[in-house]
Amino acid sequence: KIKSGVKVIPYLRTKNTNWIQMGVFYVNEWNATITSLQATVSCYDDLNRIFNSDPPKPPVREQITIADAYEELLTALSAPHVIDPSLTNVLDWWYVLSDNRATLQTLSTGAMAACFCNRMGIVNVINMTTPKSVRATITDQDQLISAEIKQSLSKEFDGAIVMLNKHQLTDLKELLNIKDLVLPVGTLNSDTTQFAVVPVIRVEVAKLISNLPNTQLVTFSATPYDVLYTLSNTGDDTANVTLVFSGRSIEILKSEYFKSGINPLSLDNIYVQTPIIADQQRQILTRFANSNLPFLDLEVRGNPLLHLGDKITVYSEKYSINFTGYILRQQFNYTGALHAQIRLIAADILEVV
């Protein structure tokens, strides 16, 4: 039996290629009957570990590039990574969300970046707005088996709304108020206690109110999300205390940066904090809403040389297609021959020229 967590590295080879590594995965689930000679093994790449890891709690950062935000997060998660240096848009304030999946998905959406594990098991972050060279052309005569052209989802929408999430530092405010805390004689070391307001930029006042003398807040240690504290009671009786932390946090001022159409697509993303980022989103969402074919789904003869994020052109007289786009998803299947299902997003939607 293959145990959970064992590393699995699959390879593919066609008559025109050598053995090609397809990724680095880790066993999640192993299923087989007692008498069976076959088993189904489910494996996931390192993003699954990242999504299920406790989120790091770095200090809130001011005026940081999107590339540096990814760098800080992935380094804290001990994830080998390569980050596109062209992700130079600046966030007014950078902080992580409640879990790693939410942080990576929200940041990638706001940045228009692709975040995935490459075939060496390294997390890649790619700027999808930067024009790239076409890596392959697929036609009726070589790899194309079928193309599925659905009624465009974008035709449900006739415009776009982009919300600007302006961040600013709050005035001094109460961050946490712990009332009626029973403090026995001696020392009390707290469990991790979440702030009522997050993220916290800094704690400026910590105040202990007690019904008895000889009680003290000895020390505390805070992250932007929670606090640990130590209290002491050197008197003879149990005390009843209130502990209050005050300081400064972030408040978000939401406004409509752009609105068009009667039935618009809407984007409200906390990392869309500046007019530069908001305008990039405006351009992309507007092009998406106006596109007759934003996505293209293909079945092709499998080509393991193609990677996520590659730019390819599909030309088909049979399906009347001349489409250039980026690979968003690729699924390989082998049933006597290697096939792949590919989803593309139109390059002229994403690219900022």
Side-chain angles (χ1 to χ4, degrees):
K1 181 174 180 178
I2 300 176
K3 295 181 179 180
S4 176
V6 171
K7 182 187 289 187
V8 175
I9 303 178
Y11 291 83
L12 276 178
R13 184 177 71 175
T14 70
K15 66 178 182 179
N16 297 318
T17 69
N18 294 320
W19 287 104
I20 297 171
Q21 182 172 321
M22 301 303 294
V24 177
F25 303 91
Y26 299 88
V27 173
N28 183 69
E29 188 176 10
W30 192 96
N31 290 312
T33 61
I34 295 175
T35 58
S36 176
L37 297 177
Q38 295 181 330
T40 299
V41 182
S42 299
C43 305
Y44 297 93
D45 62 25
D46 200 39
L47 279 178
N48 186 64
R49 175 192 65 82
I50 290 171
F51 290 161
N52 290 291
S53 297
D54 291 335
K57 299 173 183 177
V60 177
R61 297 277 304 278
E62 190 175 4
Q63 296 296 306
I64 180 174
T65 67
I66 288 173
D68 286 343
Y70 275 112
E71 176 70 34
E72 184 170 279
L73 177 61
L74 293 171
T75 298
L77 291 166
S78 301
H81 54 271
V82 176
I83 297 169
D84 193 328
S86 69
L87 291 166
T88 55
N89 283 338
V90 174
L91 298 170
D92 287 342
W93 295 91
W94 156 245
Y95 52 92
V96 300
L97 305 180
S98 58
D99 61 73
N100 298 324
R101 181 192 294 268
T103 300
L104 283 171
Q105 288 182 339
T106 306
L107 182 61
S108 297
T109 300
M112 292 308 301
C115 179
F116 59 92
C117 280
N118 68 15
R119 291 180 180 175
M120 296 297 108
I122 296 171
V123 178
N124 268 24
V125 179
I126 298 175
N127 186 347
M128 296 300 288
T129 69
T130 302
K132 300 171 181 64
S133 300
V134 173
R135 191 154 188 267
T137 298
I138 294 175
T139 68
D140 297 320
Q141 285 70 43
D142 45 51
Q143 297 178 54
L144 184 63
I145 296 174
S146 65
E148 187 173 358
I149 306 174
K150 298 178 180 178
Q151 173 63 38
S152 171
L153 289 176
S154 66
K155 295 300 98 179
E156 298 177 17
F157 306 98
D158 61 355
I161 295 176
V162 178
M163 299 299 295
L164 181 63
N165 285 260
K166 191 71 176 175
H167 287 50
Q168 66 182 25
L169 197 63
T170 66
D171 294 330
L172 184 68
K173 65 187 299 183
E174 187 175 280
L175 306 172
L176 179 64
N177 188 327
I178 306 172
K179 299 178 179 179
D180 299 322
L181 177 63
V182 176
L183 179 57
V185 174
T187 300
L188 172 66
N189 294 308
S190 77
D191 295 327
T192 300
T193 305
Q194 292 186 341
F195 286 117
V197 179
V198 294
V200 170
I201 303 302
R202 58 181 178 267
V203 176
E204 297 184 2
V205 178
K207 184 178 181 181
L208 183 68
I209 305 168
S210 175
N211 67 330
L212 295 176
N214 303 315
T215 58
Q216 181 183 5
L217 171 61
V218 178
T219 186
F220 71 89
S221 175
T223 76
Y225 307 94
D226 49 45
V227 62
L228 288 166
Y229 54 86
T230 299
L231 306 178
S232 71
N233 179 359
T234 58
D236 298 324
D237 298 309
T238 297
N240 188 280
V241 302
T242 296
L243 180 59
V244 180
F245 293 95
S246 300
R248 300 182 191 273
S249 181
I250 291 289
E251 61 183 3
I252 301 175
L253 305 177
K254 292 181 179 289
S255 62
E256 278 188 2
Y257 175 81
F258 175 79
K259 181 177 181 180
S260 66
I262 298 172
N263 186 31
L265 279 164
S266 181
L267 177 77
D268 186 0
N269 184 301
I270 64 165
Y271 296 130
V272 178
Q273 300 175 4
T274 68
I276 290 175
I277 298 175
D279 198 62
Q280 183 181 78
Q281 293 287 346
R282 174 194 65 79
Q283 295 179 53
I284 291 169
L285 287 182
T286 300
R287 290 196 293 264
F288 182 89
N290 291 335
S291 175
N292 290 318
L293 188 60
F295 298 110
L296 181 62
D297 293 310
L298 308 172
E299 183 177 3
V300 300
R301 295 175 180 88
N303 182 354
L305 295 175
L306 293 176
H307 297 253
L308 293 178
D310 280 350
K311 183 179 181 179
I312 66 174
T313 292
V314 180
Y315 178 74
S316 170
E317 293 183 356
K318 178 180 178 180
Y319 294 100
S320 301
I321 296 172
N322 187 357
F323 185 96
T324 298
Y326 289 96
I327 298 177
L328 292 181
R329 185 170 64 240
Q330 188 171 211
Q331 178 180 327
F332 290 97
N333 297 291
Y334 183 81
T335 53
L338 185 64
H339 292 187
Q341 281 76 43
I342 295 176
R343 165 158 279 205
L344 303 174
I345 184 171
D348 58 8
I349 291 176
L350 294 178
E351 292 178 347
V352 177
V353 181

